[in-house]
Amino acid sequence: MTKTIDVQVNAQSIAAFKKGYPLILKDAVVNPEVLKEEGTLIRLTDKYRKFIAKGYYGNQNKGIGWVLTRDDNEEIDFAFFESKISAALSRRESFFEDSETTAFRAFNGEGDGIGGLTIDYFDGYYMVSWYSEGIYAMKHHVYGVLDKLVDYKAIYEKKRFDTKGQYIEQDDFVKGEPGDFPIIVKENGMNFAVDLNDGAMTGIFLDQRDVRKALRDKYSDGKHVLNTFSYTGAFSVAAVLGGARETTSVDLAKRSLPKTIEQFSVNGIDYEAQNIKVMDVFDYFRYAKRHELKFDVVVLDPPSFARSKKYTFSTAKDYPALIMDAIAITEKNGIIIASTNNASFSMKKFKSFIDQGFADANSRYKILEESSLPKDFRTNRDFPEFNYLKVVILQKLK
């Protein structure tokens, strides 16, 4: 049995834990010196040693672990993991039965009851992401549960917990029959090439599924679409399949060119009829202004933080300026899809960035729709900070 130790938490944190808050913040712990080895099970207690909750020790961003149960008698063992993962798979039954979408989030961390762990499904392949050494110490339970509950072609893993919380390079194959990558998965009928053993990224961000569908179904027909921070061009694929007359995809990473060509090709799209630019997005904004280029739709989906030779970008402080750049090259009555995956601020704050960008540009807009994580990315509605994705689709009026 895994070792369990008592950890005292301060009075301010106790109320949050009792309401169901799952993240154990560093500042909540009164006696951090007792925390020695990640993966240790911990009983959270008040100063009178009265039980509050039970979880595990594992460093992840601002937290030092996650609450797993508020029942002192519930064991954190194979049966615990089986119950949580089984319940999560049952919640995704409609996804497993949908032949038009064969890639989705099968288990979403704290939303499904185990913080620090996600499991994605890719047409028979499972990809397990571990966000701390603490949860990785319990990998035998997770892989044992998958062996028991599901049929799979293979399991791959991503260890996302080096000293900076980043992906650790390794052969990510765990068990099963190694995949012949890329494999082709479907998303709302669109094809996407995926490689589960090519570093931190797979080729598609599953959390943007609903936004790609909206772009395809509502905002692309006959339009010229600019896709910034385009990664592998998934938004551009959606736009072309929605009837866009032209797309321009811009990303600084050199691999974005072959990856975007690949995504167009697996959908039968002539990539040579589309524009793919390997350059800094901010340089492209300047280029577009200089050449008086205008777009009907601009997609903004930047990373939370990015650094190139000339620029440093942070969504928390630079998004208003990014909005201004987009406004300058968007047609009147054009569409801007503004998105961020930064969990450190709220939707209200994100909208204030949009307001500021339009005010600074002396422009006006109206919101057409807004969204957050799709339903397979299950979150706790009482704690909106875990619903990190914020998307506002707006129309430029002036």
Side-chain angles (χ1 to χ4, degrees), residues 10 19 22 25 39 47 62-63 68 79 98 111 118 129 140 156 224 232 247 269 291 305 334 353 359 361 369 374 381:
N10 60 40
K19 285 181 182 174
L25 299 173
K47 63 182 179 181
K62 60 183 179 180
L68 297 178
D98 184 0
T118 65
S129 292
H140 56 292
Y156 287 79
H224 187 179
T232 65
T247 65
I269 297 168
H291 291 81
F305 181 84
F353 294 158
E369 57 182 291
R381 67 180 64 185

Side-chain angles (χ1 to χ4, degrees), residues 81-97 104-108 112 118-121 125-126 142 145-152 376 378:
F81 279 86
E82 181 180 7
S83 68
K84 296 296 185 185
I85 294 173
S86 177
L89 297 176
S90 295
R91 293 186 191 106
R92 276 81 171 177
E93 192 172 340
S94 62
F95 283 92
F96 282 104
E97 293 174 351
F104 52 88
R105 175 65 49 94
F107 189 95
N108 196 44
D112 283 302
T118 65
I119 305 173
D120 293 321
Y121 175 83
Y125 295 86
Y126 286 83
V142 174
V145 168
L146 290 176
D147 282 342
K148 180 177 179 180
L149 295 183
V150 302
D151 294 322
Y152 56 79
D376 50 321
R378 189 170 193 259

Side-chain angles (χ1 to χ4, degrees), residues 44 64 66 102 107 136 149 238 366:
L44 303 182
I64 57 94
W66 293 92
T102 60
F107 189 95
Y136 192 66
L149 295 183
K366 70 175 179 180

Side-chain angles (χ1 to χ4, degrees), residues 192-195 200-205 231-234 259 262-263:
F192 291 105
V194 166
D195 190 336
M201 304 300 191
T202 62
I204 188 170
F205 292 115
Y231 183 39
T232 65
K259 292 291 186 181
E262 180 179 59
Q263 301 294 24

Side-chain angles (χ1 to χ4, degrees), residues 48 132 243 289 295 331 343:
Y48 304 110
S132 73
K289 288 176 199 170
F295 298 87
E331 295 278 12

